[in-house]
Amino acid sequence: MIRYLTAGESHGKALVGILEGMPAGIKISSEYINHQLWRRQQGYGRGGRMRIESDTVEILSGVRFGKTLGTPISLLIHNQDYNNWREKMAVEGSGGSVERMRIPRPGHADYVGAVKYGFDDLRDVIERASARETAMRVACCTIVRKFLEECGIFIGSHVLSIGSASLADRADTDRLIKRYTSKASCAAYKVTELADRSPVRILDHRTSERAVAAIKKAKKAGDTLGGIFEVIVTGLPIGLGNYAQWDRKLDGLLAQALMSIQAIKGVEIGDGFEMARRHGSQAHDPFVAKGKRIDRSSNHAGGLEGGVTNGQMLVLRAAMKPISTLAKPLKSIDLDTLKPTPARYERSDVCAVPAASVIGEAVVAPALASAVMERFGGDALDVIQTHIKSK
Amino acid sequence: MIRYLTAGESHGKALVGILEGMPAGIKISSEYINHQLWRRQQGYGRGGRMRIESDTVEILSGVRFGKTLGTPISLLIHNQDYNNWREKMAVEGSGGSVERMRIPRPGHADYVGAVKYGFDDLRDVIERASARETAMRVACCTIVRKFLEECGIFIGSHVLSIGSASLADRADTDRLIKRYTSKASCAAYKVTELADRSPVRILDHRTSERAVAAIKKAKKAGDTLGGIFEVIVTGLPIGLGNYAQWDRKLDGLLAQALMSIQAIKGVEIGDGFEMARRHGSQAHDPFVAKGKRIDRSSNHAGGLEGGVTNGQMLVLRAAMKPISTLAKPLKSIDLDTLKPTPARYERSDVCAVPAASVIGEAVVAPALASAVMERFGGDALDVIQTHIKSK
Amino acid sequence: MIRYLTAGESHGKALVGILEGMPAGIKISSEYINHQLWRRQQGYGRGGRMRIESDTVEILSGVRFGKTLGTPISLLIHNQDYNNWREKMAVEGSGGSVERMRIPRPGHADYVGAVKYGFDDLRDVIERASARETAMRVACCTIVRKFLEECGIFIGSHVLSIGSASLADRADTDRLIKRYTSKASCAAYKVTELADRSPVRILDHRTSERAVAAIKKAKKAGDTLGGIFEVIVTGLPIGLGNYAQWDRKLDGLLAQALMSIQAIKGVEIGDGFEMARRHGSQAHDPFVAKGKRIDRSSNHAGGLEGGVTNGQMLVLRAAMKPISTLAKPLKSIDLDTLKPTPARYERSDVCAVPAASVIGEAVVAPALASAVMERFGGDALDVIQTHIKSK
Amino acid sequence: MIRYLTAGESHGKALVGILEGMPAGIKISSEYINHQLWRRQQGYGRGGRMRIESDTVEILSGVRFGKTLGTPISLLIHNQDYNNWREKMAVEGSGGSVERMRIPRPGHADYVGAVKYGFDDLRDVIERASARETAMRVACCTIVRKFLEECGIFIGSHVLSIGSASLADRADTDRLIKRYTSKASCAAYKVTELADRSPVRILDHRTSERAVAAIKKAKKAGDTLGGIFEVIVTGLPIGLGNYAQWDRKLDGLLAQALMSIQAIKGVEIGDGFEMARRHGSQAHDPFVAKGKRIDRSSNHAGGLEGGVTNGQMLVLRAAMKPISTLAKPLKSIDLDTLKPTPARYERSDVCAVPAASVIGEAVVAPALASAVMERFGGDALDVIQTHIKSK
């Protein structure tokens, strides 16, 4: 079982992560992780912070001479902006002279956190509720992802829509993806590389341009945009996950992982909500024999039946709401006076869907890797690889 | 922390459940649970089994003189059909003369389960992967739900669409719900009672009739239908859940609970996927002061911000795919010969969306109740109630 | 990961258990489990209940045609005495006419449970805190034990002392055990069979007789006795468990399992407390090469180094306090009047150490089996067996 | 529920810890934690490393202006010796020129770890299996301990024996402890302060001197010593823990915590193994009424009945084996040649029982604090304090 915990406030000293339960012998480098951190910071529509900070990870334990030791891997990402926040975010001292934040932003945890903990400074909430935390989630999960790659399992993603700029012809994109997936187990990675070439990670060129224009317009209006992204996984063997108990179903675990990303409000598997509109005769994936191999003539299920992988490409989608911090702020109230006032503006993005898609790639890895280890268990990578091959 | 495990094969002797971690002092009766089991068996479009079996629960432990003891509650639902399956589902013996099933049904776990475990009889899979298991999930979670009700928290649900028969005017239904929710914390329960009057649990009368007609037509065609349902929760205090760690976020935990229901392929919170198309200025819920009370002028977030309840109605939606077992069977293959053959038909429903909505009501309860106990902890109900009131 | 939950009050309808996470393909029968339940009921010094009830288990799910299905296994043990307790332990009804218990027994959970939950009838506590619950623990864990046996791992136990009747010469017994363990991986089982021939499960005949006499005498005096038992496990491969994180260390997990048995107040591994008195030069197990095989010249560590199995026999010991319910009752007070009064006598044993040793054998199985599955993972027994052999 | 994970190799860059689930509002400083780290490094018999390194913690997150935020607290302890190990413990690079360790030390995880993970350099094991890791356990648990203190619960410890130097008269020490515990809930802390005055943390002056002499002698002989320590907790309310399910019993959880400390081979609660020799009439703690207060006339149970606190002082003991690394090394073999050879000597302590007792104080805190939060739950310290007072 793989566990990971993250820690760290948005403007504190550092983000910290501990990843527990990885097999020994996985090749990993900070460079490999940094590449994913870099991808998480890209995308048209990001705010100022992305320009001033370039996240780099420091591996503090669990790796020796470039390989995992089977021991807990701890990671550190220094907040480069911390120097400007030393006083406001001091661990010690009374903070007596630091201004309290008292105007909650709708859509954020500001208010609920203050009620929950009895804080009188909203900063005590927003520093951790911030999506900045996902940098460490990506760092931890990237190691898990490397393990999956060593097992022949590859994760990718692309963006389907930003605001109303949506793929005109989904079939086109599907054909594009299929072109890759028919070739190799690493197909998902190839798709994600292709998506990385677009500033908004949309595979269709014209839709990509429309999305950029929409973001530009929203920015000018002091507004923000959300969107939908898709995570795909190729190379998955049949039989990962479990139908025997509700909390071991892979569909539930993957939904949790995606829904727990900040600002995600919807998750779909395979044809998802569209499935609800169809007849059964059009919704499932018939079995066909290709020589001695059993195959399917479609993939409406998105690779999961009964909460278990069926050997087809895993297809997950998530809907991200528009960023809650607007340059032209939403209506709020001052908690001290209860008088109406605009929400406070804190430097933010206009659109972060491309980043969210990269985060989505990362967070699905632990559930998949735990399922791999349950089915092909072993303490070291080479043993697990042998177990996989022997099936 | 509330835990529950279920056990039991679809045609075995019984379904069994153990619910762990409930406070002492909650009034519970088998009658109360049976009512929810009965609701789970209703709905236009159910198959033969629903007519021959009426589930009733036996409480074996954890309750004395009508109140929980704080000890594990164990439940039993006898499979009334077991007499006809004694030989096929025998716990002991060789089963030598029992016919093996070798034709997997697309959309079910039949094939993936057989590959996973190396079974040569698909029945070894389908008996547990079956949605029959949800009867025990409903039984366990109904006790949790009773606890929530004692805390002033009420859960309800209604169906939004079946196949293409979808609410013409969602606003109408929202107004209907609002009429109740403005009055009392038990509003969700009132809504669910209203929905129970429709054979498909759709609040709008005309849509309900169209849905019934669609099911009738699908049945005639040997086909099946899915749909979308909505679970709502009223009376939730602010501050349940946690934004501090990915696996404690209530949005993720609720998504897992719903996605782990058989045949669910999508989950939304609040405005969900629709959020992804909107601008930030139209997507969030501004704060307004009503006298000394802080309120919101909308509920796009569906009651959760940062994975924490914000005091508004919780709104969750789930998409159910059409039943995978069709009277006019899907294409499959015989696993022995790899020759094409129609999938085997096993008695099934045409549409089970109304039942799924009742299951949805149930399965969200443990995550909510665990959050209540974390925030207002105590060993006995009256202590927890005092803690809630004192906030 | 193996999970199990038990439920059931001592005089309620039944004990219930669910065992989750077992591989498919393990041969299991109720007869096999009943044998362990029978062993748990034996031993000189047991009270009346053991004579009137002979526990038998009913397997309700998870097993078909004598083999596990990989699905949750649920078990039922009916309380044969329930007929006499129908009114007192009724699930429903007001219980208005049932006498409340108000005199707590020192050493039991009676008082702490009443304070914890606010009960005014101590029966609400003692019914679950009772060691009767261990019958279901034994039943669940026996299935896990069968899995271990299929992996070549065998568990046994014997009693070392009852009251002051203690093995005069521990070395004698060690030689006896060694005679078996030098021969076969199932040695532990052989030892346990031998111990079963003594009415108090003591391998040395004279000590056994002294123990019986001590129990006889205690009984006459209205008193009770505790003792010490040893659980041994043979056939364990090197490398089970983990030193990487505190909560994955096998020594900690085994200590938890044993200490959680009712009335256990001490746990030792290998030479245990005796170790604390020795010099390092006399306390560890030097490596020796026997041909190409690496071996040890002693087993002071009891088979665990760094929380990981080292291929030697696992040796665990537990100390059981004397039964807290005495025929000549301890001093107590009436909770209503706070006046001194003798504790209430409820039918009980004079000595249950032999039974506790059988329970000890059972409860260590899940931690060991989880470690086996982590190291040699797979969904079905034959796959796991292949993984073990290939090491 | 409180969770914590530690990471870090003994000679790597740093030890890292994340503590999750703490309430908001607990006053904490690095100074407070450093004091416990300092105590962990004391004791007559420690080796060279303790002299060259003085552990200090850096709080990286979860604390602002001296108070916990309810968010994950991450801690860092730099390994001051790392500069000398940069090459040998490099995270990146091939390590080609670094000498492999091939001679396992009996009593350590060296060999079992190498077999488990297939390592050919024993350093890959010993760096994490080392008790160095407990520095971070102490750091994390010290914060939990501070929370307990704010709830009126205090933890202390003292050493009972080192090698054969054992308290001549345990009753003397008990009287000493009683003198404090009769006065205040913080008694345990007072006792621990007193113990800190002895170089071996033994309360009895003459035994302390004999222990120092024994260590001196062992050192001269190139040998090592273990011992027994006792952890006590005062101020515990009645009703923490749970008898309802085996894995929620506080006795089991505390035994796990202590047994998971490196080199611990035995754990006792209350009178422990001594209990096994006594009659029931002498082994339990009769109830007595002191005015309107219910009290006990003894504390054989050590504060736990049925796995639940009974309001008496919690008494836990643990046996530590002698350090496995000897200056006059134990017999081992070279894994390359299988030829006999002395075990490699790596700088080590002669006796670490005083340190272990400080570690023991720390590691019991999370289980106790989780039980407090379950019974008196709340998100912030002041709320929990109010809940405690209102009982």
Side-chain angles (χ1 to χ4, degrees), chain B residues 29-347:
Chain B
S29 66
S30 53
E31 197 186 350
Y32 185 88
I33 301 170
N34 287 342
H35 175 60
Q36 295 298 333
L37 292 178
W38 177 82
R39 289 181 68 227
R40 181 191 158 275
Q41 294 193 298
Q42 302 313 301
Y44 188 82
R46 305 307 299 279
R49 186 162 186 179
M50 294 307 119
R51 277 190 294 275
I52 57 170
E53 285 196 37
S54 172
D55 287 332
T56 54
V57 76
E58 186 181 6
I59 300 173
L60 289 174
S61 73
V63 179
R64 189 177 177 222
F65 304 145
K67 282 189 178 175
T68 58
L69 292 170
T71 59
I73 301 166
S74 54
L75 304 172
L76 205 69
I77 299 175
H78 284 281
N79 285 325
Q80 292 163 24
D81 203 16
Y82 177 60
N83 267 332
N84 303 317
W85 289 79
R86 276 185 185 280
E87 198 196 352
K88 284 187 193 163
M89 290 303 296
V91 167
E92 322 234 337
S94 72
S97 63
V98 172
E99 192 198 6
R100 295 174 310 138
M101 285 184 61
R102 296 295 288 161
I103 305 168
R105 295 164 304 168
H108 282 291
D110 303 9
Y111 180 63
V112 297
V115 171
K116 182 177 181 66
Y117 290 112
F119 293 141
D120 69 348
D121 183 356
L122 299 176
R123 181 153 302 286
D124 288 345
V125 179
I126 72 178
E127 283 290 323
R128 178 67 188 164
S130 157
R132 169 86 188 129
E133 174 259 336
T134 57
M136 186 44 80
R137 268 204 259 182
V138 167
C140 287
C141 295
T142 294
I143 300 172
V144 186
R145 178 183 190 157
K146 185 61 162 53
F147 164 62
L148 289 171
E149 290 176 3
E150 301 279 5
C151 298
I153 298 166
F154 291 82
I155 305 173
S157 76
H158 59 109
V159 172
L160 294 174
S161 69
I162 284 178
S164 58
S166 178
L167 282 187
D169 188 356
R170 169 77 222 225
D172 251 15
T173 292
D174 281 347
R175 268 189 297 274
L176 185 70
I177 293 173
K178 199 150 200 184
R179 207 182 311 151
Y180 286 98
T181 51
S182 59
K183 282 185 205 147
S185 74
C186 66
Y189 194 71
K190 292 282 173 194
V191 168
T192 221
E193 280 186 323
L194 207 61
D196 282 349
R197 294 188 202 162
S198 151
V200 285
R201 309 202 69 248
I202 293 179
L203 290 170
D204 176 70
H205 186 62
R206 282 189 50 198
T207 314
S208 174
E209 285 184 333
R210 280 197 296 130
V212 168
I215 295 169
K216 207 173 284 185
K217 201 174 147 193
K219 190 179 181 178
K220 213 175 263 181
D223 216 328
T224 60
L225 282 174
I228 300 172
F229 65 84
E230 186 168 278
V231 173
I232 59 176
V233 188
T234 50
L236 287 163
I238 298 175
L240 302 184
N242 207 300
Y243 55 80
Q245 195 67 258
W246 73 272
D247 59 358
R248 297 172 73 198
K249 299 199 171 197
L250 208 42
D251 40 14
L253 292 166
L254 293 167
Q256 180 191 13
L258 286 172
M259 196 70 100
S260 72
I261 301 174
Q262 284 80 345
I264 300 301
K265 301 298 276 189
V267 176
E268 293 183 313
I269 299 173
D271 289 354
F273 276 85
E274 182 53 34
M275 279 281 213
R277 291 171 197 109
R278 258 186 240 147
H279 280 85
S281 52
Q282 306 304 317
H284 302 290
D285 306 311
F287 289 94
V288 289
K290 296 197 173 168
K292 295 220 155 181
R293 207 165 60 79
I294 295 167
D295 204 351
R296 306 298 184 94
S297 53
S298 58
N299 185 19
H300 300 302
L304 286 173
E305 286 170 312
V308 178
T309 56
N310 67 2
Q312 302 240 86
M313 181 169 74
L314 182 67
V315 181
L316 306 163
R317 264 184 311 284
M320 187 185 202
K321 68 178 183 181
I323 301 277
S324 307
T325 306
L326 279 73
K328 191 175 160 189
L330 295 166
K331 285 182 194 169
S332 184
I333 52 168
D334 186 308
L335 293 181
D336 288 328
T337 62
L338 295 190
K339 289 210 175 127
T341 172
R344 191 185 155 118
Y345 180 65
E346 179 130 329
R347 191 179 52 193

Side-chain angles (χ1 to χ4, degrees), chain C residues 77-120:
Chain C
I77 299 175
H78 284 281
N79 286 325
Q80 292 162 24
D81 202 17
Y82 177 59
N83 267 334
N84 303 318
W85 289 80
R86 277 184 184 281
E87 198 194 352
K88 284 186 193 163
M89 289 303 296
V91 167
E92 322 234 336
S94 72
S97 63
V98 172
E99 191 200 5
R100 293 174 311 138
M101 285 183 61
R102 295 294 289 161
I103 307 168
R105 297 165 302 169
H108 282 292
D110 302 10
Y111 179 63
V112 297
V115 172
K116 182 177 181 68
Y117 290 112
F119 294 141
D120 68 349

Side-chain angles (χ1 to χ4, degrees), chain D residues 52-370:
Chain D
I52 58 170
E53 285 196 37
S54 172
D55 288 332
T56 53
V57 77
E58 187 181 5
I59 300 173
L60 289 174
S61 72
V63 179
R64 189 177 177 223
F65 304 146
K67 284 190 178 173
T68 57
L69 292 170
T71 60
I73 301 166
S74 54
L75 305 173
L76 206 69
I77 299 174
H78 284 280
N79 286 325
Q80 292 161 25
D81 203 15
Y82 177 58
N83 268 333
N84 302 317
W85 288 80
R86 276 184 185 281
E87 198 196 350
K88 283 187 194 163
M89 290 304 295
V91 166
E92 323 234 335
S94 73
S97 63
V98 172
E99 193 199 4
R100 295 173 311 139
M101 287 183 61
R102 297 294 289 159
I103 306 168
R105 296 165 302 169
H108 281 292
D110 301 11
Y111 179 63
V112 298
V115 170
K116 182 178 181 68
Y117 289 112
F119 292 141
D120 69 348
D121 184 356
L122 299 176
R123 181 151 305 283
D124 288 345
V125 179
I126 72 178
E127 283 289 324
R128 178 67 190 164
S130 158
R132 170 85 189 129
E133 173 259 337
T134 57
M136 186 44 80
R137 268 203 259 181
V138 168
C140 288
C141 294
T142 294
I143 301 172
V144 186
R145 179 183 191 157
K146 186 60 163 52
F147 163 62
L148 288 171
E149 290 176 2
E150 301 280 5
C151 297
I153 298 165
F154 291 82
I155 305 175
S157 75
H158 59 111
V159 171
L160 295 175
S161 70
I162 284 177
S164 57
S166 178
L167 282 186
D169 187 359
R170 169 78 222 224
D172 251 13
T173 292
D174 280 347
R175 268 189 297 275
L176 185 71
I177 293 173
K178 200 149 200 184
R179 205 182 313 150
Y180 286 99
T181 51
S182 59
K183 282 183 204 150
S185 73
C186 66
Y189 194 72
K190 293 281 173 196
V191 169
T192 222
E193 279 185 323
L194 208 60
D196 281 349
R197 294 187 203 163
S198 152
V200 285
R201 310 203 68 248
I202 292 180
L203 290 171
D204 176 68
H205 186 61
R206 283 189 50 197
T207 315
S208 174
E209 283 183 338
R210 281 197 294 130
V212 167
I215 295 169
K216 208 173 285 185
K217 201 174 146 192
K219 190 178 181 179
K220 216 175 262 181
D223 216 329
T224 59
L225 283 173
I228 299 173
F229 64 86
E230 185 167 277
V231 173
I232 57 176
V233 188
T234 48
L236 287 163
I238 299 175
L240 302 184
N242 207 298
Y243 54 79
Q245 195 68 258
W246 73 273
D247 58 358
R248 298 172 73 197
K249 298 199 172 196
L250 208 42
D251 41 14
L253 293 165
L254 293 167
Q256 180 191 15
L258 286 172
M259 196 69 99
S260 72
I261 300 175
Q262 284 80 346
I264 299 303
K265 299 300 275 190
V267 175
E268 292 183 314
I269 299 173
D271 289 353
F273 276 86
E274 182 53 35
M275 280 281 214
R277 291 171 197 108
R278 259 187 241 147
H279 279 86
S281 50
Q282 306 304 318
H284 302 290
D285 307 312
F287 288 94
V288 291
K290 296 198 174 168
K292 294 221 155 180
R293 207 165 60 78
I294 295 167
D295 204 351
R296 306 299 185 94
S297 52
S298 60
N299 185 19
H300 300 302
L304 285 173
E305 286 171 311
V308 178
T309 57
N310 67 2
Q312 302 239 89
M313 181 169 73
L314 182 67
V315 182
L316 306 163
R317 264 182 312 284
M320 187 186 201
K321 68 178 183 181
I323 302 277
S324 308
T325 307
L326 279 73
K328 191 175 159 188
L330 296 166
K331 286 183 193 168
S332 185
I333 52 168
D334 186 309
L335 294 181
D336 288 328
T337 61
L338 294 190
K339 290 213 173 121
T341 173
R344 191 186 155 118
Y345 180 65
E346 179 129 331
R347 192 181 50 195
S348 191
D349 303 329
V350 174
C351 174
V353 179
S357 67
V358 174
I359 299 163
E361 291 177 19
V363 299
V364 300
L368 295 173
S370 288

